[in-house]
Amino acid sequence: MATMPLLADDQMTPEARAVIDDIRATRQTDFINNFWRALANDPALLKRTWDSLKAVMGPGQLDPKVKELIYIAVSVAQSCEYCIHSHTAAARAKGVSDQELMELFAVIGMAAETNRLVTAMQVPVDDVFKVG
Amino acid sequence: MATMPLLADDQMTPEARAVIDDIRATRQTDFINNFWRALANDPALLKRTWDSLKAVMGPGQLDPKVKELIYIAVSVAQSCEYCIHSHTAAARAKGVSDQELMELFAVIGMAAETNRLVTAMQVPVDDVFKVG
Amino acid sequence: MATMPLLADDQMTPEARAVIDDIRATRQTDFINNFWRALANDPALLKRTWDSLKAVMGPGQLDPKVKELIYIAVSVAQSCEYCIHSHTAAARAKGVSDQELMELFAVIGMAAETNRLVTAMQVPVDDVFKVG
Amino acid sequence: MATMPLLADDQMTPEARAVIDDIRATRQTDFINNFWRALANDPALLKRTWDSLKAVMGPGQLDPKVKELIYIAVSVAQSCEYCIHSHTAAARAKGVSDQELMELFAVIGMAAETNRLVTAMQVPVDDVFKVG
Amino acid sequence: MATMPLLADDQMTPEARAVIDDIRATRQTDFINNFWRALANDPALLKRTWDSLKAVMGPGQLDPKVKELIYIAVSVAQSCEYCIHSHTAAARAKGVSDQELMELFAVIGMAAETNRLVTAMQVPVDDVFKVG
Amino acid sequence: MATMPLLADDQMTPEARAVIDDIRATRQTDFINNFWRALANDPALLKRTWDSLKAVMGPGQLDPKVKELIYIAVSVAQSCEYCIHSHTAAARAKGVSDQELMELFAVIGMAAETNRLVTAMQVPVDDVFKVG
């Protein structure tokens, strides 16, 4: 039910295959999830997306596990079903427990509720919060 | 420019004042931000919201600092200006650095981009991600 | 700070003026809010929008007051500042009290929270809910 | 396809079972929909959510039937499939007719359209709408 | 799994049938997609929606093909699965290639990312951009 | 009112300055809008974002003018005020007329309305639309 074909390895251009091979090497698994097979329809977009993802989600100031939680939070707020499934799986693979996930969901739900209350009442920003 | 008046302490009902006093005691500061002054128009809603916030954002499986980052991520995804300002201030107060914030923003932006690519291509969920 | 000029009466085409006159006659007031002055840049869009609004928001199965509450709920869920302000004013003009507004906001906030919890857990629709 | 298991009654903790029993007693039916079975993975979150829902959706300034319409409006604006199904069923159970639902949908659609027009033209809030 | 029945031709009122016949004549095909069969539950809403769609999506300052791309962009940003499928099909019927679609998706993804970065940093509008 | 400082040229690292210089050379103007001054707080993110933007928004299968319209559509659907202002200015600079903009807005509004109707009625995707 995709709007773009999910390409098998032998349907990809050499440029796309090179990116797929790097994903396999980086993740140390042969499994390639559907997102990358769909993106392979545009090899330049595939490469740019993978390069960015490696740079953004890798180790940095924040722990990769925390980054997965943030990624899930955005995906839930934007109602992206595929993203929620794939990054919940990724979070579990990085050691996130079910209890931590439920606590993540509680924060997401609470933030959604208070966001709407703030918006409904059109609360003005307190002067003390302005830093820029 | 709020749609509801921001109540001063002496305009609140005793029930609302009791909640405000608990916020001051819990946060160990006299400062009450506009969100609570707007909510005070409905003392029952004020009490329920504060009680939930204390339960959800306090220590648990996840670090309170991590919870603030998740809260900001939801607020950005939902474009709530007030929430972004107040919780960025809260995150800084809990020791989050500017470098960590910029990294948080990079994850949020990346998630937004890949979410939309997934949605546009209507990528089906891989069987291996299905756990429920 | 609009992206389109807000037209004064004498800057409009006769076709646009005719719509504006009908808004004045229908609402029994000379005041024309900025939304219509911006739409007047495209007289056909102005006419279509006003005709639809009259048909949809007028009396029907649902009370016009209830329709205003629904309109505000959508505007809050979509974070449209102008829409929240203009339709909260419209609701008050139709007799909606501050207590009713606060209760409306509580339902909006609660719905936002449980929506996110459902989305985060990807809860499948119960068979009993399927009617189509 | 949920990200969390949907717990059967005998898989729940006693704390979660007590909440489920209260839902059954309050609604006077044995049927428990999937939302609560998913939330039961976190008994504290389950209890907080049910207590809030009872307080917010019960009788008050606004009629419970009107509250269901508002709840649906938010769920549509946020594209929550499960929420739309469960609350449309709840609305029908409270006596909302198909004609009323179609009229509700017309208001939701109209609000979505004019919201986007306002946002696109960045219409400034009229001074007369500012009350806070 | 719809919340409203999808009406067959012989289940519609004469008023609804007249609109359906006009859709067939305008599109020069007997096929009527589900959206119109659902809307037929409210003949007045069906007529208003079809009349508006013909006026808005037809030839004008912008090419109908470009309008389809814009329509898809909005549908992706709002996560409307049905809308993405039906308008991607419509775009292809109007001669849009897979390469153009992938480029469209890249722009949508890029816009989503930079939108979130702007929102997270709360970047103030440059004076030079203000024209209204 | 930003959450991050808007850096002047002499407050940037050499790495950030090099990107800013490339923006100036590419656009053939000395003016740097606030978005880039905010991103300069994270030179790696600044570089990645600018490189992607150049690749995505430049000439390709779709006309750069059409890409700006798509960009605006996404920004409106996501309610990003800054993005709407900056890309409406960019569209005008590329020769988009006010009449074309109003027509763009009409399509965006119409898409938002029908998206919500589809979502409210939970219309199932027609078999004929499924291609993946």
Side-chain angles (χ1 to χ4, degrees):
Chain A
M1 276 196 282
T3 58
M4 282 291 152
L6 304 174
L7 301 184
D9 286 20
D10 58 9
Q11 294 173 303
M12 299 178 190
T13 65
E15 191 190 355
R17 268 303 298 272
V19 177
I20 296 297
D21 287 346
D22 187 43
I23 296 176
R24 285 195 169 106
T26 305
R27 294 183 166 174
Q28 300 187 297
T29 170
D30 258 7
F31 176 68
I32 295 292
N33 54 306
N34 288 336
F35 176 53
W36 305 109
R37 296 195 179 284
L39 271 185
N41 288 283
D42 184 339
L45 179 58
L46 171 66
K47 180 168 170 39
R48 189 175 63 77
T49 306
W50 171 243
D51 288 348
S52 293
L53 203 75
K54 265 202 301 190
V56 171
M57 297 300 284
Q61 300 288 326
L62 301 175
D63 185 60
K65 193 172 124 175
V66 169
K67 289 184 178 183
E68 285 295 343
L69 298 180
I70 294 165
Y71 207 108
I72 293 172
V74 173
S75 301
V76 171
Q78 299 190 151
S79 296
C80 179
E81 181 187 354
Y82 183 89
C83 317
I84 295 167
H85 276 291
S86 60
H87 285 273
T88 300
R92 281 183 167 124
K94 287 182 182 170
V96 173
S97 69
D98 274 19
Q99 287 84 342
E100 286 174 310
L101 283 175
M102 288 303 290
E103 203 164 310
L104 165 68
F105 298 165
V107 176
I108 293 171
M110 187 78 216
E113 182 179 37
T114 52
N115 271 224
R116 293 315 183 212
L117 292 173
V118 161
T119 302
M121 300 185 296
Q122 294 287 297
V123 184
V125 180
D126 301 73
D127 285 337
V128 73
F129 292 152
K130 297 175 183 170
V131 295
Chain B
M1 278 195 283
T3 59
M4 281 291 152
L6 305 173
L7 301 185
D9 286 19
D10 57 10
Q11 294 174 304
M12 299 178 189
T13 66
E15 190 191 356
R17 268 303 296 272
V19 177
I20 295 297
D21 287 346
D22 186 42
I23 296 176
R24 284 193 169 108
T26 304
R27 295 183 165 173
Q28 300 186 295
T29 169
D30 257 7
F31 176 68
I32 295 292
N33 53 307
N34 287 336
F35 176 53
W36 305 108
R37 297 195 179 283
L39 271 185
N41 287 286
D42 185 339
L45 179 58
L46 171 67
K47 179 166 171 40
R48 190 176 63 76
T49 306
W50 170 243
D51 287 347
S52 292
L53 201 77
K54 267 201 300 189
V56 171
M57 297 300 285
Q61 299 288 325
L62 301 176
D63 185 60
K65 193 172 124 175
V66 168
K67 291 184 177 180
E68 285 295 341
L69 298 181
I70 294 166
Y71 208 108
I72 293 172
V74 173
S75 302
V76 170
Q78 299 190 152
S79 298
C80 179
E81 181 187 353
Y82 183 88
C83 317
I84 295 167
H85 277 291
S86 60
H87 285 273
T88 300
R92 281 184 166 125
K94 287 181 182 170
V96 174
S97 70
D98 275 19
Q99 286 84 341
E100 286 174 309
L101 284 174
M102 289 303 292
E103 203 164 309
L104 164 69
F105 299 164
V107 176
I108 293 171
M110 188 77 217
E113 182 179 35
T114 53
N115 271 223
R116 294 316 183 210
L117 292 172
V118 162
T119 302
M121 298 184 298
Q122 291 287 298
V123 183
V125 179
D126 300 74
D127 286 338
V128 74
F129 293 151
K130 297 175 184 170
V131 294
Chain C
M1 276 196 285
T3 60
M4 282 291 152
L6 304 174
L7 301 186
D9 286 20
D10 58 9
Q11 294 173 304
M12 299 178 188
T13 65
E15 191 190 355
R17 267 305 296 272
V19 177
I20 296 297
D21 287 346
D22 188 42
I23 296 176
R24 285 195 169 107
T26 304
R27 294 184 166 173
Q28 299 187 297
T29 169
D30 257 6
F31 176 67
I32 295 293
N33 55 306
N34 287 335
F35 176 54
W36 305 108
R37 296 194 179 285
L39 273 185
N41 288 285
D42 185 338
L45 179 58
L46 171 66
K47 179 168 170 40
R48 189 176 65 76
T49 306
W50 170 243
D51 287 348
S52 292
L53 201 77
K54 265 202 301 190
V56 171
M57 297 300 284
Q61 300 288 325
L62 301 176
D63 185 60
K65 195 172 124 174
V66 169
K67 289 184 178 182
E68 285 296 341
L69 298 180
I70 295 165
Y71 207 107
I72 293 172
V74 173
S75 301
V76 170
Q78 299 189 151
S79 296
C80 179
E81 181 188 353
Y82 183 88
C83 317
I84 295 167
H85 277 292
S86 60
H87 286 274
T88 301
R92 282 185 166 122
K94 288 181 181 170
V96 174
S97 69
D98 273 21
Q99 286 84 341
E100 286 174 309
L101 284 175
M102 288 304 290
E103 203 165 309
L104 165 68
F105 298 164
V107 176
I108 293 171
M110 187 77 215
E113 183 179 35
T114 53
N115 272 222
R116 294 312 183 212
L117 292 173
V118 162
T119 302
M121 300 184 296
Q122 292 288 295
V123 183
V125 180
D126 300 74
D127 286 336
V128 74
F129 292 152
K130 297 176 184 171
V131 295
Chain D
M1 275 196 285
T3 58
M4 281 291 151
L6 304 174
L7 301 184
D9 286 20
D10 58 9
Q11 294 173 303
M12 299 178 190
T13 65
E15 190 192 356
R17 268 304 297 272
V19 177
I20 296 298
D21 288 345
D22 186 43
I23 296 176
R24 285 194 168 108
T26 305
R27 294 184 166 173
Q28 300 187 297
T29 170
D30 257 7
F31 176 68
I32 294 292
N33 54 306
N34 288 336
F35 176 54
W36 305 108
R37 297 195 179 284
L39 272 184
N41 287 286
D42 184 339
L45 180 57
L46 171 66
K47 179 165 172 41
R48 188 176 63 78
T49 306
W50 170 243
D51 287 348
S52 292
L53 201 76
K54 267 202 301 188
V56 171
M57 297 300 284
Q61 299 288 326
L62 302 175
D63 185 61
K65 194 172 124 175
V66 169
K67 289 185 178 182
E68 284 296 342
L69 298 181
I70 295 165
Y71 207 108
I72 293 172
V74 173
S75 301
V76 171
Q78 298 192 150
S79 296
C80 179
E81 182 187 353
Y82 183 88
C83 317
I84 294 167
H85 277 291
S86 61
H87 286 273
T88 300
R92 281 185 166 122
K94 287 181 182 170
V96 174
S97 69
D98 274 20
Q99 286 83 342
E100 287 174 309
L101 284 174
M102 287 304 290
E103 203 164 310
L104 165 69
F105 298 165
V107 176
I108 294 171
M110 188 77 216
E113 183 180 35
T114 52
N115 272 222
R116 293 313 183 214
L117 292 173
V118 161
T119 302
M121 300 185 295
Q122 292 289 298
V123 183
V125 180
D126 301 75
D127 286 338
V128 73
F129 292 153
K130 297 175 184 170
V131 294
Chain E
M1 276 195 284
T3 59
M4 282 290 151
L6 304 174
L7 302 185
D9 286 19
D10 58 10
Q11 294 173 303
M12 298 178 190
T13 66
E15 190 190 357
R17 267 304 296 272
V19 177
I20 297 296
D21 287 345
D22 187 42
I23 296 176
R24 285 194 169 107
T26 304
R27 295 184 165 173
Q28 300 187 295
T29 171
D30 257 7
F31 176 67
I32 295 292
N33 54 308
N34 288 337
F35 175 53
W36 305 109
R37 296 195 180 285
L39 271 185
N41 287 286
D42 185 339
L45 179 58
L46 171 66
K47 180 167 168 41
R48 188 175 65 77
T49 305
W50 170 243
D51 287 347
S52 293
L53 201 76
K54 266 202 301 190
V56 171
M57 297 300 285
Q61 300 288 325
L62 300 176
D63 186 59
K65 193 172 123 175
V66 169
K67 290 184 178 181
E68 285 296 342
L69 300 180
I70 294 165
Y71 208 107
I72 293 171
V74 173
S75 302
V76 171
Q78 299 189 151
S79 297
C80 179
E81 180 186 354
Y82 183 88
C83 316
I84 294 167
H85 277 292
S86 61
H87 285 274
T88 300
R92 281 185 166 124
K94 287 181 182 169
V96 173
S97 70
D98 274 20
Q99 287 82 343
E100 287 174 309
L101 283 175
M102 289 302 291
E103 203 163 309
L104 165 68
F105 299 164
V107 175
I108 293 170
M110 187 77 217
E113 182 180 35
T114 52
N115 271 223
R116 293 314 184 213
L117 292 172
V118 161
T119 301
M121 299 185 297
Q122 292 286 298
V123 183
V125 180
D126 301 74
D127 286 337
V128 73
F129 292 152
K130 297 176 184 169
V131 294
Chain F
M1 275 195 283
T3 58
M4 280 292 152
L6 305 174
L7 301 186
D9 286 20
D10 57 9
Q11 294 173 304
M12 300 177 188
T13 65
E15 191 191 355
R17 267 305 297 271
V19 177
I20 296 296
D21 287 346
D22 187 42
I23 296 176
R24 285 196 169 105
T26 304
R27 295 185 165 173
Q28 299 187 297
T29 170
D30 257 7
F31 176 68
I32 294 293
N33 53 306
N34 287 337
F35 176 53
W36 305 109
R37 296 195 179 285
L39 272 184
N41 287 285
D42 184 339
L45 179 58
L46 171 67
K47 179 167 171 39
R48 190 175 63 76
T49 305
W50 170 243
D51 287 348
S52 293
L53 202 76
K54 267 202 300 189
V56 171
M57 297 300 284
Q61 301 287 325
L62 301 176
D63 185 60
K65 194 172 122 174
V66 168
K67 290 184 178 181
E68 284 296 341
L69 299 180
I70 294 165
Y71 208 107
I72 293 172
V74 173
S75 301
V76 170
Q78 298 190 152
S79 298
C80 180
E81 181 187 353
Y82 183 88
C83 317
I84 295 167
H85 277 292
S86 60
H87 286 274
T88 300
R92 282 186 166 123
K94 286 181 182 172
V96 174
S97 69
D98 273 20
Q99 286 83 343
E100 287 174 309
L101 284 175
M102 288 303 291
E103 204 163 307
L104 165 69
F105 298 164
V107 175
I108 293 171
M110 186 79 216
E113 183 180 36
T114 53
N115 271 224
R116 293 315 182 211
L117 292 173
V118 161
T119 302
M121 300 185 297
Q122 292 288 297
V123 183
V125 179
D126 301 74
D127 286 337
V128 74
F129 292 152
K130 296 175 182 169
V131 296

